[in-house]
Amino acid sequence: MSDSVMRTAGRSPDERAGRLSEIELSVNGRVRRLAVDPRTTLLDALRERLGLTGTKKGCDHGQCGACTVLVDGRRINSCLTLAVMHEGDEVVTIEGLGAPDDLHPMQRAFVERDGFQCGYCTPGQICSAVGMLSEVAAGWPSHATAAADAVAQRIALTDEEIRERLSGNICRCAAYPHIVAAVRSVAEGDAG
Amino acid sequence: MRAFTYERATDARAAVAAVSEPGAKFISGGTNLLDLMKLDIEQPSHLVDISRLPLRNIEDLRDGGLRIGAQAANSDVAADARVRTRYPVLSQALLSGASGQLRNKASTGGNLMQRTRCPYFYDTAAACNKRRPGAGCAAIGGFNRIHAILGAGDSCIATHPSDMAVAMTALGARITLLDTDQSVRHVDIADFYRLPGDTPHRETVLRPGEMITDVVLPPPPPGRQLYRKVRDRASYEFALVSVASVLSVKQDTVRAARVAFGGVAAKPWRSVEAEAALIGRPATMATYRDAARAALRNAIGRGHNDFKIELAERTLCRTLAHLAAAS
Amino acid sequence: MTGQGMTGQGHAGQGVIGRAVHRVDGPLKVTGRATYAYEHGAEDRPLYGYIVGATIGRGRLTRIDTANAERAPGVRLVMTHHNAPEQGPRDTSVPIEYWRAQPMLTGPEIHHYGEPVALVVAAAFEQARAAAGLVEVAYEERPGRYDFAALRDDTYVPKVVNAGLPTDTAVGDFDAGFRSAAVTVDRLYTTPYEFSMPMEPHACTAVPQGADLTVHVSAQIVDAALASVAATLRLDPARIHVVAPYVGGGFGSKLGIHAETILAALAARMVRRPVKVALTRQQIFQLVGLRPTSSQRVRLGADRDGRLVALAHDVTMHTNPDMEYAEQTAATTRSLYAAPHRLTSHRLTPLDLPRGEDVRSPGDAPGLLAVESAMDELADALDMDPVELRIRNEPTVDPERGVPYSDRHLVECLREGARRFGWERRPTRPASVRDGQWLVGYGTAAAIRGHFQMPTTVRVRLAADGTATVQSDMTDIGTGTYTILTQVAADGLGLPTDRVRVELGRSEFPTSMGSGGSWGAANSSTAVHRACHALRKRLLAAVREDTRSALCGLPWEKAVFADGRVRIGEASEALSDLVARHFPDGVQTTGETLAMTDDPHYSAYSIHTYGAHFAEVGVDADTAEIRLRRMLGVFSVGRVLNAKTARSQLIGGMIWGVGAALQEEGVVDVRTGAFATRDLAHYLVPVHADIPAVDAVVLDGYDDKANALGAKGIGELGICGAGAAVANAVFNATGVRVRDFPLTLEKVLPGLPPPEE
């Protein structure tokens, strides 16, 4: 059977369309209940409904990565998914990683290595980097992974690997070399 | 984005029943559909969310093949040890596409169903026979650098953007479809996509309401596998041209070959002509050149994309040489 | 103006100026707590505006039907030219475009593709966007001029070019000089339309409060935004409050405000509610100005030793017919190399496209692509090291103005860069080095960028607790303004940096010229430096006869402000005690920087920044894919205010140069006037994987003619010449010279040999 929570029986599609849907999702460890227009992206739900404006809208089409958040531990573009599709999911945004007086190691590394300038792509870069390190820890390969290592369980996190794996996050200020340095410092810290 | 109703399907049969409503569409990863809905290119009135259907598994088949659930995320397929060891060309193709974030969301079925990135298809003010049959094709005579050189006609010169589907085409994948009457059929990926002809809006052989439930990879063909993608940027860009190839060389002679191109046609382009020109011939650059010429013999440039003909030839030559050297 | 600080805070000291201090706004930015223009007003439940753009390039609206849109759920307002309020006209007597009124929805005429024809305002973003699709528009289309290549000879001569620079210059007798030269280069280079594309879309939240209007805007120059909103809405500037504490990149595209701000402000006043409008990424390509496309003829004539005898740089670019914009593409060519016979010119081809606007390093970025490519061609023709060729043409005075250079170190940049990069290992013969699949080449190019000074005022206030607050309407667009002004104030008052607070981006604060033209840092830090100087004088005047102070009667001219204390010889007193006693309510003063036209140094000297780029590229021998392998820039920028942020900006600029060389290209469909490349999947900018090790080195320096701090601009220098170094490396790798930027692979492919075994 299909889940009928979102349906309103007996009405024409036009009447039903645009009605609000009740959803419940966990954001940064807090359960949030929301009535959303089904058209609302996870990004707009976070920014416009929950006041979590740290997640940025750069292109709204999955072409820049500024909206990257972690859902059930995986990094995704929050602009290309609907809030209603995340019923029950655990969402972590930049605000959930750390606060100005309690920085996440990745956030601290970005400050120390000057891994940003205007700061607009930065939350996405940081969420992406955190998600990416989990993927590396899980042994996921990338386009940059040498063929010989393709089935190795342990990925050597070279700068080339970091660059390839973060290529879904555009930084127009082009802080790229410093972002890579920041991510490398965190990865090495974790290894040690 | 037009208003729509939303429902989440919990089993495949209910999903196809739910999508039978006029204007209804499946949504899975959403990474292309929502992109298009925001621009009013897709205007579903009802969305059936199939992302939570239990179709995420990757299973070994008795014949040595692999079944990939339609809801398996691109990143899970690319990272799967069986895919990496037995079908490296598929893992490579997936990893050369999109970004880490997009691969985490995009599903196998959705990747097959993604639509062209032709800029005129994306511009609702431009003429496009895909969007509005009979409207014309603005890409012909327009900016057509990324467009098709093979199998296109005067109605449409768009390319299929998938990398994954190119590798699956080289591997001879079969797609399992569940119809609204609950019947199941299997379609070879080579037959799944249509060339534009006079109906470029009909991109696949899917019937209305039909759903992809899985993709079956036959046992790996003999030989080594490689996916080579050529693009302007080093990452996060669709292919200008790509080649998926499987090559078996013994005693300096090509014993078996598979060749498929991406970025050149409205579908992943399997070249049986190139394969025929390779099998039984010496594994030399002269052979690869013959194969490349055979593959591109009927290619037509449209101006900005003329270079793709030579680029596709050269990319195939290098890919084959690389595979032969590794044999 | 003096070249030194006073009372021990001279430039040579080990002070906090120049130190690689972390960005003070860093913790807010990395945690998502820095709020940008669209992220305000949530408490007042703002309405959402969505712009409807024209789908013709030229013509007029014959009908616009808003009935369906108005009936759509949540819609509060549909604004078109029928109901848009009367607005102030664009007044060309206001000297700079960005301060002028920007009236919107003024009539049925369509001047370029995408021009706003309606704004839909609704309770939710989703509702506004959906209703925007219900606005029905009919047009009468007229043939437009869209094709630069076809129309580029149909030009006119602008009165001046950007920044008020002369359109044409001539020295000596170019034709005779060029004829007499032993070796000549005469080449045409073309550069494409380019877009700034900051990551934060252009956005505004307009909040009406009675007769007042608060405008949260993404703007580089608060004063320009204020003036532009006031002139357009015909409001008293005193009732408008512009707020821009964080700006998600600008690169020229936010020097002025655009449709998002004007339409949000108009709508907010109509509906008496806060209204937010952001341009979609697609709209940015049509509604924000762009770098003009250009065609540049460069002629170089040299003797056999490589000394230039004649140099000409003739530029043609597109302009919008109603809103002229002429990039100063040949301007720095006038100061770059010595040559007795010289010509430069700028011509404009009117096209029905969005107006040209400043894009990072206007003029110099595209101009140096051409000139520094031509210098490489000359070196090749002479069979001479391109570094040596440039050194041989080092001028002693500015060759066109005849004035001395204030502080020119181009040769040092070239030499130091060549040494650090290992330039001696470069392939001297093109297409001679191969590394696996890669053809490898090295390239170099010089960088030069004019330094500008603009009027700026800041306020510095010392509170009784000994903390300082700096206020200015200056912006930090990622440049590091918060951080450098913290450092300059800490230095000027002898305070630890954590006792200085910098507040920026509000129109209530003293007026600056904002961030642009690479002038922001030098303007504002010089003003802060002066304000601190003035504050020190006031404090010392107070303490002189203060018998309660340990410093009473001591020689005040020997006072040193450091570590939160004031010292004269062995005696010292805490700054906070001194302020608390004499100024219990705190003490404040302002500091100013003059316009360069009022500063005699700027007419007596040729004031620039310099650099040298070195790039190594690999070109795939089969596919002609071009990948940067490493890059180094060595720069001379006067004094550096923060080693970390300066280096970041220079590296960012260099990467812009890489994008300009290899990827960035706005393509107009010449049938419609629409950009076919209108998102970040089709208009390519560099991603992480495109950028390997890129490093920037800054030479120690101090330009005493520029300002009291000796500092000059760096925001645009990095891009200058960077793309040419990459293009020259591609030639060195392949022997293929591409003069049509960007160097996409299809332009290189035909020159490559066939695949080998």
Side-chain angles (χ1 to χ4, degrees):
Chain A
M1 286 298 293
S2 66
D3 184 339
S4 62
V5 171
M6 313 298 169
R7 299 196 76 154
T8 312
R11 289 178 188 270
S12 74
D14 278 355
E15 285 176 274
R16 281 190 266 120
R19 292 177 65 91
L20 300 186
S21 301
E22 291 278 336
I23 57 164
E24 191 175 285
L25 62 167
S26 157
V27 182
N28 300 328
R30 239 180 98 193
V31 174
R32 308 293 295 257
R33 291 191 65 81
L34 273 180
V36 293
D37 185 317
R39 291 171 292 185
T40 307
T41 60
L42 177 60
L43 171 64
D44 286 330
L46 292 169
R47 281 170 65 81
E48 307 301 332
R49 301 297 308 284
L50 298 176
L52 294 169
T53 56
T55 307
K56 303 302 185 191
K57 185 184 284 190
C59 74
D60 217 15
H61 287 270
Q63 298 165 353
C64 80
C67 66
T68 304
V69 298
L70 300 165
V71 173
D72 294 338
R74 287 193 176 194
R75 53 178 175 159
I76 66 163
N77 298 107
S78 62
C79 74
L80 286 186
T81 191
L82 298 171
V84 288
M85 297 176 76
H86 291 280
E87 173 78 29
D89 284 354
E90 296 206 358
V91 181
V92 174
T93 70
I94 191 71
E95 292 93 343
L97 286 181
D101 54 0
D102 181 24
L103 297 177
H104 182 281
M106 190 65 78
Q107 293 170 324
R108 181 173 302 112
F110 268 64
V111 173
E112 288 173 356
R113 306 289 170 137
D114 213 32
F116 61 95
Q117 292 176 40
C118 80
Y120 198 79
C121 76
T122 312
Q125 298 274 358
I126 290 171
C127 287
S128 184
V130 169
M132 180 273 274
L133 290 184
S134 307
E135 294 168 6
V136 171
W140 287 14
S142 85
H143 179 62
T145 308
D149 303 333
V151 285
Q153 280 308 301
R154 199 176 157 76
I155 305 290
L157 194 63
T158 60
D159 285 356
E160 195 189 353
E161 282 281 356
I162 296 172
R163 288 180 198 123
E164 164 58 27
R165 289 166 187 268
L166 288 183
S167 282
N169 293 87
I170 291 177
C171 173
R172 188 57 163 157
C173 299
Y176 295 132
H178 292 171
I179 294 170
V180 172
V183 174
R184 192 198 315 121
S185 76
V186 172
E188 286 169 358
D190 285 354
Chain B
M1 192 188 291
R2 304 301 162 91
F4 56 83
T5 47
Y6 168 87
E7 72 175 304
R8 187 181 306 123
T10 47
D11 73 58
R13 285 166 178 265
V16 290
V19 90
S20 59
E21 196 173 299
K25 254 189 155 7
F26 294 122
I27 185 165
S28 173
T31 54
N32 188 208
L33 181 59
L34 289 169
D35 165 37
L36 295 168
M37 286 168 64
K38 288 177 184 189
L39 298 168
D40 279 346
I41 296 160
E42 296 273 15
Q43 302 183 346
S45 55
H46 184 60
L47 281 185
V48 179
D49 178 358
I50 54 174
S51 65
R52 298 195 188 194
L53 294 183
L55 296 171
R56 305 186 75 90
N57 287 350
I58 303 172
E59 300 165 303
D60 277 309
L61 297 176
R62 284 208 193 112
D63 66 356
L66 205 61
R67 189 203 321 271
I68 300 169
Q71 296 308 318
N74 287 178
S75 48
D76 287 320
V77 178
D80 185 274
R82 294 159 295 183
V83 174
R84 287 159 72 185
T85 47
R86 279 147 56 190
Y87 305 98
V89 67
L90 176 58
S91 180
Q92 292 161 8
L94 283 161
L95 293 171
S96 73
S99 67
Q101 294 95 309
L102 289 164
R103 292 192 295 269
N104 279 342
K105 206 80 188 68
S107 66
T108 303
N111 190 320
L112 289 170
M113 293 303 296
Q114 67 176 312
R115 306 196 68 190
T116 184
R117 263 57 176 195
C118 170
Y120 299 100
F121 174 71
Y122 266 75
D123 175 3
T124 49
C128 176
N129 288 322
K130 264 191 196 299
R131 272 190 289 98
R132 207 140 50 84
C137 172
I140 297 173
F143 178 57
N144 51 36
R145 181 172 183 262
I146 65 170
H147 289 75
I149 51 173
L150 286 166
D154 291 337
S155 71
C156 179
I157 57 170
T159 53
H160 195 268
S162 175
D163 293 296
M164 180 196 80
V166 179
M168 286 181 171
T169 298
L171 294 168
R174 284 165 70 78
I175 298 168
T176 310
L177 303 174
L178 177 68
D179 207 342
T180 45
D181 65 2
Q182 312 293 336
S183 66
V184 173
R185 63 177 178 137
H186 305 276
V187 179
D188 277 352
I189 192 167
D191 303 323
F192 182 71
Y193 295 103
R194 295 167 179 272
L195 287 176
D198 296 328
T199 55
H201 58 290
R202 299 181 63 194
E203 296 171 358
T204 69
V205 298
L206 268 184
R207 297 173 187 144
E210 229 175 357
M211 184 174 79
I212 301 171
T213 55
D214 57 62
V215 175
V216 172
L217 301 179
R224 304 189 73 91
Q225 306 175 9
L226 186 65
Y227 189 73
R228 173 71 165 97
K229 178 173 181 176
V230 181
R231 47 187 161 179
D232 300 294
R233 284 204 296 221
S235 189
Y236 200 18
E237 187 190 356
F238 294 97
L240 290 168
V241 161
S242 70
V243 170
S245 186
V246 187
L247 191 74
S248 170
V249 175
K250 288 200 179 97
Q251 282 133 19
D252 300 326
T253 301
V254 177
R255 303 291 173 179
R258 297 280 182 87
V259 172
F261 290 96
V264 298
K267 60 189 279 187
W269 190 266
R270 174 107 177 240
S271 179
V272 290
E273 298 86 352
E275 292 170 7
L278 288 165
I279 295 166
R281 299 272 307 278
T284 62
M285 188 55 80
T287 297
Y288 310 147
R289 276 197 207 107
D290 288 346
R293 271 187 221 114
L296 279 301
R297 185 164 296 132
N298 296 319
I300 298 170
R302 299 282 175 166
H304 301 102
N305 68 350
D306 291 349
F307 72 96
K308 279 190 175 184
I309 300 172
E310 187 187 353
L311 183 63
E313 289 183 5
R314 297 176 71 112
T315 306
L316 178 60
C317 287
R318 179 55 54 208
T319 304
L320 294 170
H322 191 94
L323 284 170
S327 291
Chain C
M1 182 191 284
T2 68
Q4 298 287 327
M6 64 171 282
T7 58
Q9 269 90 29
H11 68 272
Q14 299 296 312
V16 65
I17 295 181
R19 208 183 291 160
V21 173
H22 298 334
R23 283 174 205 265
V24 298
D25 50 340
L28 287 178
K29 284 184 173 173
V30 299
T31 57
R33 267 70 165 190
T35 44
Y36 297 78
Y38 200 74
E39 298 162 3
H40 293 271
E43 57 285 356
D44 301 323
R45 303 216 11 259
L47 302 177
Y48 294 79
Y50 197 93
I51 295 171
V52 181
T55 55
I56 61 166
R58 187 162 172 267
R60 57 184 288 128
L61 283 173
T62 53
R63 188 178 66 90
I64 183 158
D65 184 345
T66 58
N68 287 336
E70 282 164 3
R71 275 198 299 270
V75 171
R76 304 296 168 82
L77 170 70
V78 181
M79 199 194 322
T80 69
H81 70 274
H82 292 302
N83 60 344
E86 188 85 357
Q87 297 158 68
R90 203 173 141 271
D91 178 358
T92 50
S93 72
V94 175
I96 306 179
E97 179 72 48
Y98 306 122
W99 274 256
R100 294 174 187 161
Q102 310 287 342
M104 297 287 153
L105 306 175
T106 52
E109 290 296 315
I110 301 300
H111 306 85
H112 65 82
Y113 198 97
E115 183 174 337
V117 296
L119 178 79
V120 178
V121 179
F125 171 71
E126 295 78 14
Q127 294 171 328
R129 180 177 56 192
L134 301 176
V135 175
E136 291 171 27
V137 191
Y139 301 97
E140 178 189 298
E141 193 170 359
R142 285 199 290 275
R145 295 163 52 97
Y146 309 124
D147 189 348
F148 180 74
L151 296 166
R152 72 180 167 209
D153 294 331
D154 185 6
T155 63
Y156 73 94
V157 186
K159 284 202 183 76
V160 291
V161 298
N162 198 23
L165 294 164
T167 302
D168 294 355
T169 59
V171 173
D173 182 344
F174 173 79
D175 288 336
F178 191 65
R179 269 198 309 274
S180 74
V183 180
T184 61
V185 166
D186 180 355
R187 294 296 187 184
L188 197 67
Y189 302 86
T190 54
T191 65
Y193 299 102
E194 290 175 352
F195 298 89
S196 291
M197 287 299 136
M199 294 318 296
E200 182 204 12
H202 302 70
C204 175
T205 302
V207 183
Q209 293 142 317
D212 285 29
L213 183 68
T214 298
V215 185
H216 300 272
V217 62
S218 191
Q220 295 176 231
I221 310 176
V222 164
D223 188 53
L226 178 79
S228 194
V229 171
T232 312
L233 271 67
R234 296 177 156 167
L235 291 176
D236 176 358
R239 311 312 296 256
I240 300 174
H241 313 281
V242 175
V243 186
Y246 301 102
V247 179
F251 314 112
S253 73
K254 294 173 181 171
L255 289 166
I257 53 165
H258 296 88
E260 75 295 331
T261 303
I262 295 303
L263 292 174
L266 289 171
R269 286 179 59 82
M270 287 172 80
V271 299
R272 298 178 185 283
R273 284 276 301 277
V275 173
K276 309 208 282 190
V277 180
L279 300 185
T280 67
R281 185 57 63 180
Q282 289 79 357
Q283 287 171 342
I284 296 172
F285 285 87
Q286 314 279 3
L287 296 184
V288 174
L290 66 162
R291 192 195 297 285
T293 189
S294 79
S295 161
Q296 305 179 46
R297 183 183 185 193
V298 181
R299 285 171 289 173
L300 303 174
D303 65 21
R304 290 265 168 227
D305 296 331
R307 286 187 180 77
L308 289 167
V309 285
L311 180 164
H313 188 185
D314 299 302
V315 183
T316 302
M317 73 195 92
H318 103 278
T319 183
N320 177 281
D322 303 316
M323 291 181 257
E324 181 180 288
Y325 176 79
E327 263 196 302
Q328 65 274 41
T329 306
T332 44
T333 310
R334 296 164 183 164
S335 301
L336 182 51
Y337 296 118
H341 306 292
R342 332 172 51 96
L343 276 182
T344 65
S345 72
H346 299 83
R347 298 294 177 266
L348 298 178
T349 299
L351 297 180
D352 299 309
L353 294 175
R355 74 178 192 222
E357 282 182 30
D358 295 313
V359 174
R360 197 173 193 178
S361 201
D364 302 334
L368 286 165
L369 280 177
V371 169
E372 286 298 281
S373 292
M375 283 296 279
D376 201 64
E377 300 211 42
L378 180 62
D380 185 55
L382 289 160
D383 197 18
M384 180 179 285
D385 180 340
V387 170
E388 178 59 25
L389 174 66
R390 288 170 171 87
I391 291 171
R392 282 195 192 177
N393 288 290
E394 176 69 4
T396 50
V397 296
D398 188 294
E400 299 211 3
R401 291 174 57 199
V403 298
Y405 291 103
S406 62
D407 181 51
R408 179 174 163 120
H409 300 286
L410 176 58
V411 171
E412 290 92 322
C413 292
L414 286 161
R415 290 213 163 105
E416 180 66 11
R419 186 184 70 75
R420 286 173 178 258
F421 193 73
W423 181 249
E424 74 282 359
R425 293 195 301 274
R426 88 189 164 99
T428 49
R429 202 161 43 81
S432 61
V433 172
R434 189 157 176 162
D435 174 13
Q437 76 196 81
W438 300 104
L439 306 172
V440 179
Y442 285 27
T444 187
I448 179 170
R449 166 82 196 163
H451 174 71
F452 300 95
Q453 180 173 296
M454 297 296 192
T456 287
T457 308
V458 304
R459 178 161 56 227
V460 180
R461 177 181 171 79
L462 262 174
D465 63 358
T467 59
T469 304
V470 176
Q471 291 180 327
S472 168
D473 78 356
M474 175 63 189
T475 49
D476 187 330
I477 60 172
T479 41
T481 315
Y482 282 108
T483 312
I484 58 162
L485 295 190
T486 299
Q487 292 172 267
V488 171
D491 174 84
L493 297 171
L495 289 173
T497 51
D498 62 6
R499 293 175 73 182
V500 176
R501 177 180 169 79
V502 177
E503 298 175 354
L504 302 175
R506 295 191 81 100
S507 54
E508 284 72 18
F509 296 156
T511 306
S512 75
M513 278 290 280
S515 304
S518 297
W519 58 54
N523 287 343
S524 57
S525 60
T526 301
V528 168
H529 177 78
R530 292 229 174 92
C532 292
H533 182 165
L535 271 182
R536 289 201 306 270
K537 279 175 82 169
R538 283 185 70 179
L539 291 170
L540 291 171
V543 82
R544 238 157 126 181
E545 291 164 12
D546 176 5
T547 53
R548 288 167 296 178
S549 171
L551 306 173
C552 179
L554 294 175
W556 62 274
E557 63 280 1
K558 292 190 176 164
V560 174
F561 287 66
D563 307 322
R565 299 186 74 79
V566 185
R567 274 196 188 78
I568 302 177
E570 296 298 308
S572 78
E573 183 175 10
L575 186 66
S576 52
D577 293 345
L578 207 161
V579 177
R581 201 160 59 241
H582 291 279
F583 304 99
D585 298 327
V587 54
Q588 69 180 40
T589 187
T590 56
E592 281 185 19
T593 305
L594 296 176
M596 58 199 284
T597 44
D598 298 329
D599 185 332
H601 279 155
Y602 284 80
S603 49
Y605 295 92
S606 179
I607 305 182
H608 292 86
T609 53
Y610 302 92
H613 298 278
F614 295 85
E616 178 183 334
V617 304
V619 180
D620 188 290
D622 296 302
T623 63
E625 288 165 288
I626 303 168
R627 301 288 181 253
L628 186 70
R629 289 160 71 100
R630 65 192 178 105
M631 191 165 181
L632 170 70
V634 176
F635 301 98
S636 167
V637 297
R639 183 190 195 178
V640 165
L641 299 169
N642 179 316
K644 179 177 290 212
T645 59
R647 190 167 163 276
S648 290
Q649 252 196 308
L650 288 164
I651 288 173
M654 291 166 69
I655 294 169
W656 268 60
V658 177
L662 301 180
Q663 298 170 348
E664 292 188 38
E665 180 174 23
V667 177
V668 171
D669 188 311
V670 297
R671 301 166 302 181
T672 61
F675 277 95
T677 47
R678 65 169 77 166
D679 60 27
L680 293 174
H682 291 112
Y683 184 82
L684 299 180
V685 300
V687 296
H688 273 281
D690 291 312
I691 304 303
V694 172
D695 198 7
V697 171
V698 186
L699 302 180
D700 279 342
Y702 184 91
D703 189 335
D704 67 349
K705 305 302 185 297
N707 50 55
L709 287 168
K712 292 184 286 193
I714 53 171
E716 293 163 302
L717 179 65
I719 184 173
C720 297
V726 173
N728 295 340
V730 171
F731 172 75
N732 186 244
T734 62
V736 179
R737 180 72 68 180
V738 179
R739 302 181 185 89
D740 176 28
F741 288 92
L743 277 64
T744 45
L745 61 83
E746 64 266 39
K747 298 170 188 172
V748 177
L749 196 65
L752 297 184
E756 297 157 17
E757 291 289 339

